[in-house]
Amino acid sequence: MSEQPMVILLAHGSSDPKWCETFEKLAAPTIAAVPGSVVAYMELAEPSMESIVTNAVEQGCHNFTIMPLFLAVGRHLRKDVPEMISVMEKTHKVKISLAPPIGENPQLGLAIREVVEQTLNSSRP
Amino acid sequence: MSEQPMVILLAHGSSDPKWCETFEKLAAPTIAAVPGSVVAYMELAEPSMESIVTNAVEQGCHNFTIMPLFLAVGRHLRKDVPEMISVMEKTHKVKISLAPPIGENPQLGLAIREVVEQTLNSSRP
């Protein structure tokens, strides 16, 4: 039986705690539904991907899926995150797969439509 | 009768056309559902907010709602975008309201859960 990957919801990170709070709320339904899933930050906030992976490896996990909480691919997802993954794979002898950013899934476009419609309805006199 | 606001879906922008393509796809369901809604970019891509507002004013629109296609509030939404809005309101004598970023709506967290579940199911052997 192959080991189920641990899901890491990767957000950019910021020194502003309100930024991280928003991502924690965004991640909450996934964390409630997917056992062992967690949020990690690319930079400027804790927990980092590195600390999450290090702890999980100590507990016997060797297989990770990173789901970027980003709307689109920019330099971070094209270059920085793959480089960080490559280092962690070598250091910890683990397998880490990087999923496309959430914004590339059509589900997000439907959710945006719903948010816009809610906003317009609530501001209607 | 008060004029319905024109909806501007505001994305960050990038010189990478693939970035803009992702946001155009994200916006497509909203644009199909909300008459007159458009995508605009804060910087590095066209159309800019300023060019969208200028054109709309020429066609008689004076009321805008900006829906940020951002997951959380960072410096851009706290400082840069409100400053741009303030200048446009004075220059064009229009009313522009700035909605919270889409990521602050619980709908997005539910969409993220669905994306993660789809990804896990599709990678299952």
Side-chain angles (χ1 to χ4, degrees), chain B residues 66-115:
Chain B
I66 295 183
M67 297 286 319
L69 301 185
F70 286 67
L71 290 174
V73 173
R75 192 178 50 81
H76 290 318
L77 291 181
R78 201 169 38 238
K79 191 171 177 302
D80 304 335
V81 174
E83 283 175 7
M84 293 163 89
I85 287 176
S86 167
V87 170
M88 288 189 293
E89 285 191 320
K90 278 177 204 144
T91 311
H92 298 292
K93 303 196 184 354
V94 292
K95 165 127 185 50
I96 303 177
S97 61
L98 179 62
I102 53 162
E104 288 190 2
N105 186 299
Q107 203 59 43
L108 265 281
L110 301 179
I112 290 170
R113 180 183 66 195
E114 209 155 317
V115 171

Side-chain angles (χ1 to χ4, degrees), chain A residues 48-69:
Chain A
S48 66
M49 268 201 295
E50 171 64 27
S51 69
I52 291 287
V53 169
T54 304
N55 286 342
V57 167
E58 281 169 11
Q59 287 166 42
C61 179
H62 298 91
N63 201 347
F64 300 84
T65 295
I66 295 184
M67 297 285 320
L69 301 185

